[in-house]
Structures are given as C-alpha cells and as structure tokens.
Amino acid sequence: MGCGEDKMVKCWDLETNKVVRDYHGHLSGVYSLALHPTLDVLATGGRDSVVRLWDIRTKAQIHVLEGHTNAIASLIAQEYEPQLVSGSHDTTVRLWDIGTGRSVETLTNHKKAVRGMCFHHSEYTFATAAADNLKVWKCPEGTFLRNISGHNGIVNAVAVNEDDVLASCGDNGSLYMWDWKSGYNFQQLVSKPQPGSISSEAGIFAAKFDRSSMRLITAECDKSIKMWKEDENATPETHPIDPNFRVAFDSQRF
C-alpha cells in the first residue's frame, strides 16, 4: 500500500510492480495508512482531517471518521478494541470503533502535534509521540500510564520490538533507544544524510522493526531507506547504565 500528496492511495502487486487497486476519496494529501490485521479493511488519513475506511477488495468506502480539526499524521490498527487509533496535528489522539464508525475516546494530553504511534506486541498498551513527550496509554479506554521524556525535538515515528526496546525517530535525524518499561534512554544515534543532501534532509519519517526484532528499518527525508542492527560487540562495560537513573512515576496524570 502507498499514499502521497497526490490524494491517491494505491495497492501494488510486488511481483509485477504494478498498481492493482486505487482508492479515491481524499480531498488533500494522504499522510498515513493502516491495514487491519484480521479484516480486509484499510484506514487512511491526511490533510483533509478525516479518516477513511475502505474495503480492500471492492475499494468501497465503508466509513468516514470525522472529529479531527487538523491533518492526520498517524494511524495504527489492532485486532481488539479500540480497533483504530489516530494521531493528528490538532494535538489529539482518537480511539475509534470501526464497526460503528464512531469515536470511542479523545485523548487531549499532548500539547504538540501527534506524529507517530505504535502498539505494544503483548501488553494491551500503545505509545504516542509528539514534540512534548512520548506517552504510553492503556487500552481500551486510553488510560494514561506514563511519560517517556528526553527526546528533545519533533518526533515523527516510534516502534517497539519484542525485547521491549522502543525506538523514537526525530526530524533532525536523531534516533533514541529506550527501555519500554522503565523509560530509560540507553542509546542515542544520529542518522547521517546521504552525500549531496543538505542538513535539513536528515529527518526520519517512518520506522519499523523486522519480524526478528533485531533490525530497525527507517525511511528518511534524503530519500533513503536504512537498516540498523544490534551492536554485536556491546557489553555492560561499553554501554553502562546511569546509576543515578530512577523510574519516574508522575503524580500528574498528563
């Protein structure tokens, strides 16, 4: 699946490298999409501030989910309720029931645009990313659990693997690695733009761990796709843990 500023959503056959379906309906650029893991349902969102649900096979539009007041930057879908979560530049996160097409909950804790989100693989939780904080929430009501603070900048994408490593990717090329449970930032990396690119093209726009959870794949502003692997020579001595670090459980629920 692919989407873009041309308002188009396309389904590609990877073997023939040809478009087999396209989905028409968005009035502006499409910034995000998500496939439901068990249903033949595709969710798309973009600058027209609505989430559109499609039947993948028939290309029929099932629902138009209205409520956001600015561009939708991130969508994630899961098998259980809430089945769809959307993050927007209006600083809100909405939880949707795709059966009824209605908003179940609106989360207003973020103060900056929500650009990246991911579900945890085993916990019934998800993370959202904005310039103010990374936040972890409990499904299905969207109960706030904790902040993960320290990535100073615009965060475009987050991903978590089966070893509970959370990666957050910034607009300045920064790549931070966190422990999911404690929020400890154990590594900070910077992606270098390709030769011939300018410094403003260092941004990382999307990130995903592969099925082995050992490699992180990033899509970047300099038109490159990069694969990051674990440091095989890393030891507790080369990457020591800060002895003064303490897990912060904020009494303020925002």
Side-chain angles (χ1 to χ4, degrees):
M1 292 291 182
C3 59
E5 282 282 3
D6 59 0
K7 313 176 192 177
M8 300 294 291
V9 179
K10 297 178 182 290
C11 177
W12 300 80
D13 186 317
L14 296 180
E15 291 185 356
T16 62
N17 197 28
K18 292 181 179 180
V19 176
V20 293
R21 299 183 188 90
D22 45 33
Y23 305 84
H24 301 275
H26 279 285
L27 306 178
S28 299
V30 185
Y31 295 161
S32 58
L33 54 80
L35 285 168
H36 193 277
T38 57
L39 304 175
D40 288 335
V41 173
L42 169 68
T44 58
R47 207 166 63 232
D48 56 6
S49 306
V50 298
V51 178
R52 297 179 188 272
L53 299 182
W54 312 85
D55 185 305
I56 295 176
R57 299 185 183 280
T58 66
K59 302 185 291 184
Q61 187 171 274
I62 303 169
H63 289 300
V64 178
L65 309 182
E66 298 178 330
H68 285 295
T69 59
N70 208 327
I72 294 167
S74 180
L75 291 168
I76 51 175
Q78 68 167 358
E79 182 178 355
Y80 310 103
E81 299 288 351
Q83 293 182 324
L84 185 70
V85 182
S86 60
S88 171
H89 286 200
D90 65 9
T91 75
T92 67
V93 177
R94 285 181 177 264
L95 284 60
W96 305 89
D97 182 337
I98 66 173
T100 62
R102 294 182 179 180
S103 177
V104 178
E105 193 67 51
T106 302
L107 312 178
T108 59
N109 301 43
H110 279 291
K111 306 306 177 188
K112 300 291 185 180
V114 181
R115 297 169 179 261
M117 301 187 297
C118 65
F119 280 116
H120 191 272
H121 56 89
S122 59
E123 295 179 1
Y124 200 28
T125 57
F126 65 96
T128 59
D132 55 355
N133 263 317
L134 308 182
K135 295 180 184 291
V136 180
W137 312 83
K138 179 73 173 178
C139 294
E141 295 88 1
T143 305
F144 174 74
L145 296 179
R146 61 187 180 274
N147 283 325
I148 298 177
S149 303
H151 198 152
N152 299 319
I154 298 173
V155 180
N156 289 326
V158 285
V160 63
N161 70 4
E162 293 186 359
D163 295 322
D164 284 342
V165 173
L166 176 69
S168 60
C169 307
D171 214 38
N172 56 359
S174 57
L175 177 58
Y176 283 28
M177 298 294 185
W178 312 81
D179 177 69
W180 172 270
K181 295 186 182 299
S182 68
Y184 180 68
N185 177 216
F186 61 86
Q187 190 172 18
Q188 298 181 11
L189 304 166
V190 177
S191 180
K192 296 181 180 179
Q194 294 297 302
S197 302
I198 58 178
S199 58
S200 61
E201 293 181 331
I204 302 174
F205 287 165
K208 190 77 172 177
F209 281 99
D210 70 357
R211 289 184 177 274
S212 72
S213 291
M214 299 181 65
R215 293 178 178 83
L216 177 69
I217 305 168
T218 58
E220 310 197 2
C221 183
D222 61 2
K223 304 176 184 177
S224 68
I225 297 175
K226 296 178 181 175
M227 296 186 68
W228 307 76
K229 70 173 184 177
E230 294 180 352
D231 185 354
E232 298 174 352
N233 299 317
T235 65
E237 289 72 30
T238 60
H239 293 74
I241 295 176
D242 183 357
N244 297 318
F245 175 78
R246 295 292 182 272
V247 178
F249 293 98
D250 222 338
S251 60
Q252 288 184 307
R253 305 300 285 174
F254 61 85

